[in-house]
Every structure is written in C-alpha cells, then in structure tokens.
Amino acid sequence: MTHPIASDAGRLATLRVHAADNVRVALKDLPGGSVVEDGGCQVRLVGPVRHKHKFALGPLAEGDSVIMYGVTVGRATRPIAAGEAITTENTEHSTATTRPQARRGHWQAPDVDAFAGATFDGYHRPDGRVGTANVWLVVPLVFCENRNIEVLRQSVADALGEDPYRDYKRLARELLHGAPVAEEATPPRERLFPNVDGVRFLTHTLGCGGTDDDARALCRLLAGYVCHPNVAGATVLSLGCQKAQIEMLEAAVAERDPQGLRPVHYLEQQASASEEALIREALTTIFDGLALANRVERAPAPLAELSIGVECGGSDGFSGLSANPLVGAVVDRLVALGGSGILSEFPELCGVEHELIARCRDDRVAARFEALMGAYQQHAARVGADFSMNPSPGNIRDGLITDAMKSAGAAKKGGDSPVVDVLDYTEPQVRRGLNLLCTPGNDVESTTALAGSGANLILFTTGLGTPTGNPVTPVLKISSNSELAARMADVIDFDAGPIIRGEATIDELAGHLLQQCIDTASGRYRPRAVALAQYDFIPWKRGVSL
C-alpha cells in the first residue's frame, strides 16, 4: 500500500541535511510504502522508518559510503535498497575522508548588528577577567576529605537557611507518616550575602592511589576551578599523606594566578588538633570568604568577556538538526562579537577531523589538533577500544547508529568560525575565538573540563534529557525537540523544537538564545540546573573514556 506525502507535508516530514547527502531524515514516523519527494524524484519506503532515523535515497552496494551533513558517516555492510532504513544491521562506522566544506580564511561571519555594543552584568576580577557568577569554592585534595566536605556543605546550608533539598525532605516525612507535614512557620531569612551566588562544594574519587600524573592532572583541574572568573576564592582540605600534595596545587594555582590575586586557604587534617578544629577553621574561612566576595557587585562588561563551552548529552536523531546547529550559530555570533567558544569531546569529532583541520587558523593549530586526536585514538586502541564504540544504546535507538553520524551532528555545536587554538585537558583558554579542548565524550567529565579551562557559561544540548550542571559555571540546557522540553520542563531551559517543525529558522532562534545567554551571564535568568542544585563534578582520570 502506498502512502503519498503531499509536497508541503513532505517538507516537514523528512529532511535532506546537505545537498551531497544520500540519505534523508524522517522527522516523524513514516509507514512502509510512503512516497517521499527528493529533488524531483520519488522514493518509496521499503518499510516503516521511525522518526529521527534515516533512509537511503538510492540503492547502495556493499562498501558504499553513507553520506550525511555532506561527510561520510558510515559504510554499507550489505546492499541497501532505495527507501530502506539505515540501521546497525546494514551500516557500520566509517570516516572515509571527503572533500572539506570549510576552507581556511573563508569564514563568513554572521550579522550581529542587533547585538552591537551589547553588554552583560558580570563580576570583574583583579586579573581582568569577568565572571558570570560569584561563588566561594570548597575543594578536597583527596577523596578521604569527601566526608568533611559533606559536613561543611550541610552545616553551611543550615546556617544560611539555603538547603536546596528542603522540599524533598518534607516530602519524605509526609510519605513516611502517611499524612501532610506542616512546614515550619519561620519567616524567610534575609540574604546575608546578596552579591554572592553561594558556596560550592566539590567531591571526587582521586588524589591518591593513582599515578603521579593523575595527581598532577587533578591539581591542574582544581587550579582551573580555584582561579575561575566565577570563583571569588577557595577553601582547600587536605588529609596530608596523599599523592596530590598541597604544594602541587599551590604550584598549579600559581601558574594561573602568578600575582596571587585569588584568596586560597589550605587546611591539612593530619596537622590539625582534631576534626572539630579542622571544621571550625574551614567554616571560618568560608564565612570570611563570603564577606569578601560580597564586596564585588555586578557591572557592565563587553560580550567579548564571555566564553561559552558547548556540550551535548543524551543526544537523539534531531540533536544534529536543531539544538546543535543552533548552539553553533550562537557561538558564531559570539565570536563575531569578540567572544569565545570551546568545543570539546574529541571522540565525538571523529569523522569530521578534516573539516576542523580546514578551519584551523594556521598550520601550528592544525598540527596540535591532529597530534592530540591521534594520541587519543592510539591510547584507545592499546586497550582494545575505539571511537566507533562511542554511541550509547539510547543514541542508537534514536537514530545515531555510528560514531561518525553522531560526530557530524555533534560538531555542529562549534559553528563555522575559525579554530584559533587547541587545548589539551586542563589547559586554560588564552585566545579569544573558537577553541578545541581534548576531553572524553562523557557528559560530566567533559563539562567539568570546559569549566576547568575557563568557560564562564555552558550550553548543553540534549535530545533524550539530562539534568547535568556544574558547580561554578551556569549551564543552560537546550532540547532538540519540543516533546522533551514539555516533558522535562524542570530541566530544559530552551526549546529548539520549532526548527524541526519548520516553525522557526536557526538564525531566528539564535538571537533569542544569545539573549538568554546574556540574561544568564547577568544574573537575570536562573538556569534550571542551578534551581535544582545540580552541581556535577567528575575529573577525567586519563585512561580511556569515550
């Protein structure tokens, strides 16, 4: 039975992303026998194609390349008929090089007249950088101090009357007793530190038991947080005997803050008279630090002081069509205004390396990218892993069946501007413009690294839904589809779904999302992750994490 799709409906039901593609994407569930128009030709679907999945526009022989976004995203493992769905049964990962679409020195910057002279209200630091938030940080040098960090977290929350889990605790009491529990009739407390966004507490599983390189990498990452423009200062807890010594962190902090402008207090438990003495001293540094941080008020800053880290997690078949290119359009606009973007997740750039190399501003930057990508791939191979293992079961169910297909869509978060620098893990951003950062594809490890390298705002795209946030950098969540935005409204900040429905263009929504970035950086918009106290921090133990 044939199910013809009217021309206007067909425009909204399927999409060919690039003129060179030999597949189309189903934007809604299509029954077998449906006839789809493509470039004046008709393609009849062999069987049903689920929304977000792809189907062949013409017959493919075994070994033929599957092309999407104008690049190779797979290889046919058996003959595929015109109109047949692209699946893991007939396609495997392939990154055969195709002619790059980008060329060095040929970037056309977007029109940013609407944002000319725009500013955000940020926190100006003594080193000249500007923060989008103002927090005091409490950091353990080793996992042995995690319990003390939790003691401090609960004690500070109780003292300030800012327990983010108060409502859930009341819910638990109601469920236990089987009846509503009256909320304590206490008047809301006046904020003692109105210019401070709060105290953030990190915990982790590292600092001892690993290699010396692990300890040094941890200290470099922690130094990136201690010296972050969103951080007013820090309290550091050390046990004393661990590999990640106080001197190691002090040296890493000095590299980023050679003038010693950032107040940092180091406390060692094994040199303390007692646990109570340690906690008392730590609380004293925290409250003194809050008073110090409260002296800084928001003031206008140019958009050139914004550095947006871009990340994706729980991606679906629409992520590379809506949310990711939308974020890329925002990055392009910010770069055109003198600001910066940081694109990470090297395993999710596999298959589009030639495009990024063509965008590097010079041979040195291109060589650094090739070297770091090559080293990462070789290390993965030594332990029996490969970038092709990156797509998760959820990715595959939603149409991202090869790493190259996922990568081609993921790379869209970086827009089209020139790559000005390539950073290894824990290295700070020093050049304005688009930077590439070597991280794994793991959502939280990569988001953790983006903040560690200096991103003072993060845009996180998702198609399946993820609550990820960060302790020091505000994270805005962008959904690839409106169904997710409605179902997880307490998690999602911005809906890119109108792009899929043909109700708005990427250019139209890019201006709205950039304005939301400005409002967030100015403290006028509170991200959902902050409201949920979702402060994820996972260092990358430099093994294989795809």
Side-chain angles (χ1 to χ4, degrees):
M1 183 177 181
T2 298
H3 301 271
I5 298 178
S7 58
D8 185 55
R11 181 177 64 85
L12 301 178
T14 68
L15 174 69
R16 187 206 283 239
V17 180
H18 189 275
D21 293 356
N22 57 11
V23 297
R24 286 184 77 94
V25 186
L27 302 182
K28 63 181 183 180
D29 290 342
L30 301 175
S34 298
V35 176
V36 176
E37 295 281 344
D38 179 77
C41 299
Q42 291 189 333
V43 180
R44 177 177 283 108
L45 300 186
V46 173
V49 179
R50 291 183 55 226
H51 70 296
K52 307 179 186 179
H53 286 254
K54 293 82 187 170
F55 58 90
L57 293 175
L60 299 175
E62 181 179 348
D64 282 354
S65 293
V66 176
I67 309 294
M68 187 176 172
Y69 299 103
V71 299
T72 299
V73 297
R75 183 184 71 86
T77 57
R78 63 166 175 76
I80 302 175
E84 185 177 352
I86 303 298
T87 69
T88 53
E89 283 72 40
N90 59 29
T91 303
E92 67 181 6
H93 172 79
S94 177
T95 60
T97 301
T98 54
R99 183 184 179 88
Q101 300 173 43
R103 285 190 298 161
R104 186 175 295 173
H106 286 76
W107 179 53
Q108 181 64 48
D111 181 1
V112 291
D113 287 347
F115 291 92
T119 61
F120 72 99
D121 295 329
Y123 295 97
H124 294 250
R125 302 301 181 190
D127 62 4
R129 294 185 298 163
V130 182
T132 62
N134 190 25
V135 304
W136 187 266
L137 192 64
V138 185
V139 178
L141 259 176
V142 62
F143 57 82
C144 307
E145 291 300 313
N146 283 350
R147 183 261 184 188
N148 288 333
I149 294 291
E150 181 60 20
V151 169
L152 292 171
R153 186 190 70 78
Q154 293 193 30
S155 300
V156 170
D158 183 71
L160 298 178
E162 298 177 352
D163 184 356
Y165 311 120
R166 180 181 59 251
D167 291 340
Y168 288 140
K169 291 176 181 178
R170 186 174 69 253
L171 174 62
R173 292 195 298 271
E174 290 177 353
L175 292 172
L176 175 64
H177 297 292
V181 175
E183 187 172 3
E184 295 180 11
T186 55
R189 302 187 190 182
E190 179 184 358
R191 288 187 62 192
L192 296 176
F193 308 102
N195 295 323
V196 181
D197 293 292
V199 185
R200 300 289 183 261
F201 300 86
L202 306 186
T203 58
H204 57 80
T205 61
L206 303 180
C208 201
T211 66
D212 289 345
D213 284 343
D214 289 337
R216 281 189 286 268
L218 173 65
C219 287
R220 288 194 298 267
L221 178 67
L222 294 178
Y225 275 69
V226 169
C227 299
H228 195 281
N230 291 356
V231 173
T235 298
V236 179
L237 297 192
S238 167
L239 178 59
C241 58
Q242 73 278 349
K243 281 194 174 182
Q245 288 286 297
I246 287 177
E247 293 78 9
M248 197 179 291
L249 179 56
E250 286 178 324
V253 168
E255 287 184 12
R256 294 187 182 235
D257 181 22
Q259 295 179 276
L261 302 174
R262 193 64 48 92
V264 187
H265 305 278
Y266 298 92
L267 309 179
E268 184 174 305
Q269 184 169 10
Q270 289 173 345
S272 184
S274 65
E275 180 188 287
E276 181 181 348
L278 176 74
I279 296 300
R280 176 183 292 274
E281 188 175 3
L283 287 172
T284 300
T285 66
I286 292 170
F287 293 134
D288 287 347
L290 286 172
L292 180 67
N294 196 53
R295 298 175 189 171
V296 184
E297 298 184 359
R298 289 186 182 271
L303 298 188
E305 295 297 335
L306 283 181
S307 177
I308 296 181
V310 297
E311 179 69 25
C312 58
S315 298
D316 71 346
F318 287 160
S319 292
L321 308 177
S322 59
N324 289 353
L326 172 61
V327 166
V330 170
V331 169
D332 282 346
R333 281 156 176 74
L334 183 59
V335 169
L337 291 162
S340 303
I342 308 178
L343 174 64
S344 58
E345 300 180 292
F346 271 28
E348 299 193 3
L349 302 180
C350 177
V352 293
E353 299 99 327
H354 55 295
E355 290 290 336
L356 291 166
I357 289 169
R359 288 168 54 187
C360 289
R361 71 171 187 172
D362 55 40
D363 291 341
R364 182 198 66 80
V365 174
R368 185 97 199 280
F369 176 56
E370 289 183 283
L372 287 175
M373 277 290 281
Y376 197 156
Q377 289 173 316
Q378 289 170 13
H379 185 69
R382 282 196 295 270
V383 295
D386 190 86
F387 283 177
S388 63
M389 300 164 66
N390 180 270
S392 68
N395 293 151
I396 294 170
R397 282 195 303 271
D398 262 44
L400 301 177
I401 64 170
T402 71
D403 182 59
M405 187 179 291
K406 184 178 180 181
S407 296
K412 292 294 181 182
K413 301 192 303 293
D416 298 309
S417 66
V419 176
V420 300
D421 206 0
V422 178
L423 312 173
D424 199 359
Y425 178 63
T426 74
E427 286 185 341
Q429 177 206 332
V430 295
R431 293 185 176 87
R432 287 178 175 167
L434 179 64
N435 289 247
L436 304 182
L437 172 62
C438 181
T439 75
N442 176 287
D443 305 351
V444 179
E445 287 176 344
S446 184
T447 303
T448 297
L450 285 168
S453 287
N456 55 9
L457 190 65
I458 292 174
L459 296 182
F460 190 112
T461 67
T462 182
L464 304 177
T466 177
T468 300
N470 183 263
V472 303
T473 299
V475 177
L476 290 173
K477 231 67 60 58
I478 298 95
S479 67
S480 70
N481 61 88
S482 297
E483 185 275 331
L484 171 64
R487 178 166 46 82
M488 299 184 71
D490 59 337
V491 168
I492 300 300
D493 297 280
F494 194 94
D495 178 21
I499 296 169
I500 296 297
R501 298 194 302 275
E503 297 173 1
T505 66
I506 290 173
D507 285 343
E508 289 169 347
L509 288 189
H512 294 300
L513 182 52
L514 179 54
Q515 184 59 55
Q516 188 160 342
C517 290
I518 295 171
D519 291 340
T520 302
S522 301
R524 295 189 292 268
Y525 176 81
R526 190 185 191 205
R528 301 286 194 259
V530 174
L532 294 171
Q534 186 82 40
Y535 303 132
D536 302 309
F537 178 82
I538 301 180
W540 180 25
K541 188 174 181 181
R542 196 103 180 225
V544 172
S545 180
L546 299 176

